[in-house]
Amino acid sequence: MNKKIKIVTLVLLGISQFYLAQIKEERLILDRKREPEVKKIEKKKTSVETEKNYPPKEKEQEPVEYKITNVPMVSDFKTSTIEGEDISPKFNTDSQRNYFQVGYGNYSKFLADGNISHQLDKNTEVGIDVHGITTNGLEKEYDWSSKQSDFNVAAFITSNTEKGKANITADFGNHNYNYYGIYALKPAADIDLKQSYNELKINGYYDFFKNNWINDIRFKSSMLADHFDAKENSGEAQINFSKYDLPLFSAQDMKINADLGVKLSTQTSTFELLNKNESQYLLFAMTPKVSFYKGNSYLAIGSDFSFVNGKNADKNTPEAKANNFRWFPFAEVLYEATEQYKFYAGIDGGVKMNSYSSLLQENPFLVSDVVLKPTETKYHFYLGLKGDVDQTFKYDVNAGFSELRNAQFFKANDLFDYVNTLNRSAYNFANTFSAIYDDGTLSEVKGSVQYFPLQNLVLDAELHFMNFKLDHLNEVYYKPVVQTTIGAKYSLMDRKLNLGFKGIFVSERATNSYDITVNTAVPSQLTSTEKTKESLPSYLDVNLNADYKINKNFTVFVMGNNLLNKKYEHYLGYKVLGAQVLGGLRIAF
């Protein structure tokens, strides 16, 4: 029995905030700490007065509207790819706000980040986030360099006024890596495969405490430049009008709310390589909505009116202009039979602007010359069931069907020239990807559960099934049919010891590839043959995490990522790091 207890204890030695292991970007930490962190601020002696608390009671009492597109109960994770790894620990809700931490592990991985904030007065707070992570990559796997590094610094100011809360955040990110995923040629060890990009973002909002016609005002801006002189500038301004508790047709037990969102977005992208693609888009959208609430049940009806002005050109094609007006339906109903059973269904749609910035976040190995088109969801119909059983078991199961126009995918690139030489540009080894588009339909099934068997134990799981049917593409590249995550978090010793586990399974993904050989007739030339029905194997990524709070100021942590040591490929040719262990120290003050 003692042996079994020891084994169970060792297994649990990773069950906690692990999911920090592979979140997409540290920018998520900024999101986590800026708007949602007010409860932490309340614990400070210098925090704002109770009547200034945010959100105010009026907004706290508003029924939470459910949308399939919202962040699911289980957080998003990124697998153990070299390019995007972020293994910084997340903190408990009772963590101190100011901290600095460092960690070191195999693959010469070094982590350093911190957050410092200061209360200027009872209503105003300023702060800065800094995050950096580096790795020497797979030195034993590739003769050439696979080093990577990411650095982010963000500064913010938040102020509570008599009427609302204001925030401005400036975020600068520097991302350095290599196009190391070469599978069809054998370059020299000292070949230059460098790619990098810098991005500056400035975002802000003003959220009114009371919805007296205006709910909030928000803006976003971004400037990006990469190693090959690609440039992209984008901006977005949005104002949301709201009037709640309308007297019209209101019964004593019914509540009517009206909302109107008005958004203006611009995006300009230019590339200096190959075809020298360039694009310019302007999107204007209005989204009126009326909601009827009765208890915790509601019916919402609205529309999305979008106008898109686009200009596209490349070095071989004159500028093409297009003006499109689109109407997308919106309706959503939720019926709460009991707290355990909530039935919902709806239909929505809209325009998504595909930017070089957003595509790089998903696949950093794009060639610096991509075609950018907005994706339209003509309609997305969904229905589902969710509930909370005795506050110990939460679940959400839903199915959806969408019709898409210009759905975006990735495709592996061939060589860009066939001269028989290895003195090539970094992106010219059949080691990059491009964005491609097609129309079609998407069927989805999603499910997520959370189980709280004990006060200090949380178990969760998530399943996502996708099935595309496209008009022209015979294969759907880099879209797995099934993705599954299973996780757990466990706290011991009055939450001094936190343990975590996360397992990630991704099914096979289709891809194209190229066989490159010397032309026997002309030895100075290479020949290339495309294979259109290749696939990358499925993979299971197992991760463990533990941290121990020595006292209120010092915490030691250790994490193990991809512990099955499978150097799988998330993108063709790009093997990920094998088993990784990183340990470090966090200082809170």
Side-chain angles (χ1 to χ4, degrees):
M1 178 64 69
N2 289 336
K3 289 184 178 180
K4 291 182 178 180
I5 293 175
K6 289 180 180 179
I7 292 173
V8 172
T9 302
L10 290 173
V11 171
L12 290 175
L13 190 61
I15 302 182
S16 161
Q17 335 142 348
F18 144 80
Y19 51 97
L20 46 92
Q22 293 148 0
I23 44 185
K24 284 191 174 180
E25 289 185 300
E26 187 59 19
R27 185 181 63 258
L28 295 179
I29 286 183
L30 298 179
D31 294 340
R32 185 174 71 242
K33 291 178 180 174
R34 294 301 168 261
E35 297 185 32
E37 89 286 352
V38 182
K39 291 183 179 179
K40 297 179 184 178
I41 299 177
E42 292 175 2
K43 297 179 181 180
K44 297 183 177 182
K45 292 181 180 179
T46 56
S47 64
V48 296
E49 297 174 343
T50 303
E51 61 268 27
K52 299 290 186 180
N53 187 26
Y54 182 85
K57 292 182 180 179
E58 291 86 342
K59 291 195 173 184
E60 284 184 335
Q61 293 173 352
E62 292 169 12
V64 178
E65 297 182 20
Y66 174 81
K67 290 186 180 180
I68 298 292
T69 54
N70 285 350
V71 177
M73 291 189 296
V74 182
S75 300
D76 287 338
F77 294 88
K78 187 162 187 175
T79 52
S80 300
T81 51
I82 298 176
E83 69 276 5
E85 259 186 289
D86 186 343
I87 54 179
S88 56
K90 280 189 176 181
F91 308 108
N92 294 329
T93 55
D94 58 353
S95 300
Q96 294 191 20
R97 183 71 179 280
N98 297 326
Y99 75 91
F100 182 76
Q101 64 182 6
V102 293
Y104 187 78
N106 59 334
Y107 295 101
S108 299
K109 186 175 296 179
F110 178 74
L111 165 73
D113 70 0
N115 173 277
I116 299 174
S117 61
H118 177 66
Q119 208 82 27
L120 297 179
D121 54 45
K122 65 180 182 180
N123 293 324
T124 306
E125 182 184 28
V126 295
I128 186 170
D129 257 325
V130 179
H131 171 77
I133 188 168
T134 65
T135 174
N136 284 344
L138 293 163
E139 294 178 307
K140 296 181 180 179
E141 199 76 32
Y142 298 100
D143 294 332
W144 47 92
S145 176
S146 55
K147 291 182 178 180
Q148 299 196 5
S149 66
D150 281 282
F151 175 78
N152 269 89
V153 58
F156 76 94
I157 180 171
T158 300
S159 178
N160 289 275
T161 67
E162 292 292 332
K163 295 184 177 180
K165 178 182 178 181
N167 170 274
I168 297 177
T169 300
D171 182 325
F172 174 78
N174 171 259
H175 312 276
N176 287 278
Y177 52 97
N178 290 275
Y179 285 128
Y180 67 90
I182 302 173
Y183 64 93
L185 293 172
K186 182 72 174 179
D190 60 350
I191 190 70
D192 180 13
L193 299 173
K194 177 180 174 61
Q195 166 65 310
S196 66
Y197 67 94
N198 299 321
E199 187 169 17
L200 174 64
K201 298 180 180 180
I202 300 177
N203 304 328
Y205 67 84
Y206 190 93
D207 195 348
F208 291 85
F209 287 157
K210 293 185 178 181
N211 293 340
N212 189 17
W213 296 111
I214 299 180
N215 191 331
D216 57 59
I217 300 172
R218 299 176 180 272
F219 72 88
K220 300 178 182 179
S221 63
S222 172
M223 293 176 286
L224 181 147
D226 78 357
H227 180 61
F228 297 99
D229 295 325
K231 293 180 173 59
E232 183 172 79
N233 300 312
S234 63
E236 179 180 300
Q238 181 170 351
I239 180 169
N240 296 305
F241 299 95
S242 299
K243 189 62 178 177
Y244 290 179
D245 294 319
L246 293 175
L248 300 176
F249 310 109
S250 291
Q252 186 174 1
D253 58 346
M254 181 178 289
K255 177 180 177 182
I256 301 179
N257 296 342
D259 296 272
L260 173 63
V262 180
K263 179 173 69 174
L264 179 65
S265 301
T266 64
Q267 176 181 299
T268 301
S269 309
T270 59
F271 301 95
E272 298 300 327
L273 293 183
L274 304 171
N275 289 331
K276 297 186 177 182
N277 280 285
E278 59 182 56
S279 62
Q280 184 175 339
Y281 287 100
L282 181 146
L283 168 65
F284 177 75
M286 297 182 66
T287 53
K289 181 180 67 172
V290 178
S291 305
F292 304 85
Y293 296 92
K294 187 173 183 179
N296 290 326
S297 301
Y298 67 83
L299 168 66
I301 301 173
S303 290
D304 181 323
F305 301 97
S306 295
F307 172 78
V308 180
N309 172 267
K311 300 177 183 179
N312 291 275
D314 59 47
K315 69 177 184 180
N316 300 314
T317 307
E319 183 178 80
K321 299 180 180 180
N323 295 311
N324 295 303
F325 176 81
R326 296 286 187 263
W327 172 78
F328 304 98
F330 172 80
E332 186 171 70
V333 60
L334 183 145
Y335 173 68
E336 183 182 72
T338 66
E339 189 176 357
Q340 292 81 14
Y341 302 103
K342 300 177 183 179
F343 301 89
Y344 60 88
I347 185 171
D348 58 24
V351 178
K352 174 189 174 185
M353 301 296 292
N354 292 305
S355 66
Y356 187 42
S357 172
S358 64
L359 297 185
L360 282 174
Q361 292 174 32
E362 188 175 352
N363 182 352
F365 307 116
L366 295 174
V367 68
S368 183
D369 181 44
V370 294
V371 176
L372 296 172
K373 298 179 181 180
T375 296
E376 293 182 16
T377 301
K378 293 184 177 180
Y379 63 85
H380 167 223
F381 173 76
Y382 56 91
L383 57 87
L385 173 67
K386 65 177 181 176
D388 188 340
V389 181
D390 297 329
Q391 297 185 343
T392 60
F393 182 79
K394 295 183 179 181
Y395 69 93
D396 186 348
V397 180
N398 55 75
F401 181 81
S402 305
E403 184 175 352
L404 306 171
R405 183 174 183 270
N406 287 331
Q408 182 268 316
F409 306 93
F410 296 115
K411 178 180 183 293
N413 289 328
D414 193 2
L415 296 177
F416 294 107
D417 69 67
Y418 296 94
V419 178
N420 188 7
T421 176
L422 295 179
N423 185 22
R424 296 175 168 274
S425 301
Y427 52 85
N428 197 10
F429 290 87
N431 58 336
T432 61
F433 303 84
S434 289
I436 56 175
Y437 304 86
D438 200 358
D439 302 342
T441 62
L442 169 62
S443 301
E444 294 179 280
V445 176
K446 298 180 182 179
S448 58
V449 297
Q450 286 183 312
Y451 180 47
F452 308 88
L454 302 172
Q455 184 178 6
N456 56 344
L457 176 62
V458 180
L459 306 175
D460 60 65
E462 185 177 59
L463 171 70
H464 188 191
F465 169 85
M466 294 187 296
N467 181 33
F468 286 89
K469 291 186 177 180
L470 304 178
D471 292 352
H472 302 100
L473 297 176
N474 295 322
E475 299 292 334
V476 181
Y477 295 147
Y478 294 102
K479 295 293 183 181
V481 175
V482 177
Q483 300 180 70
T484 304
T485 62
I486 300 176
K489 292 180 283 184
Y490 189 41
S491 297
L492 299 167
M493 303 170 61
D494 195 25
R495 299 191 180 276
K496 286 187 176 181
L497 177 62
N498 299 291
L499 311 171
F501 163 81
K502 182 66 68 172
I504 305 169
F505 173 78
V506 175
S507 64
E508 285 188 357
R509 289 133 296 137
T511 182
N512 62 317
S513 65
Y514 293 90
D515 279 340
I516 298 173
T517 58
V518 176
N519 189 332
T520 55
V522 185
S524 62
Q525 298 290 324
L526 297 173
T527 60
S528 175
T529 303
E530 183 180 12
K531 298 179 179 179
T532 58
K533 293 186 177 182
E534 296 295 289
S535 65
L536 298 178
S538 60
Y539 61 83
L540 176 63
D541 193 331
V542 174
N543 307 265
L544 298 174
N545 154 269
D547 66 52
Y548 178 74
K549 183 181 291 186
I550 301 173
N551 55 43
K552 67 177 184 179
N553 298 112
F554 295 94
T555 300
V556 293
F557 61 87
V558 62
M559 279 168 290
N561 303 124
N562 193 18
L563 293 178
L564 296 181
N565 197 30
K566 301 294 184 181
K567 297 184 179 69
Y568 56 84
E569 297 177 17
H570 193 55
Y571 290 102
L572 179 65
Y574 288 89
K575 295 182 180 181
V576 305
L577 298 181
Q580 307 146 55
V581 178
L582 181 144
L585 174 68
R586 182 190 317 134
I587 303 174
F589 49 91

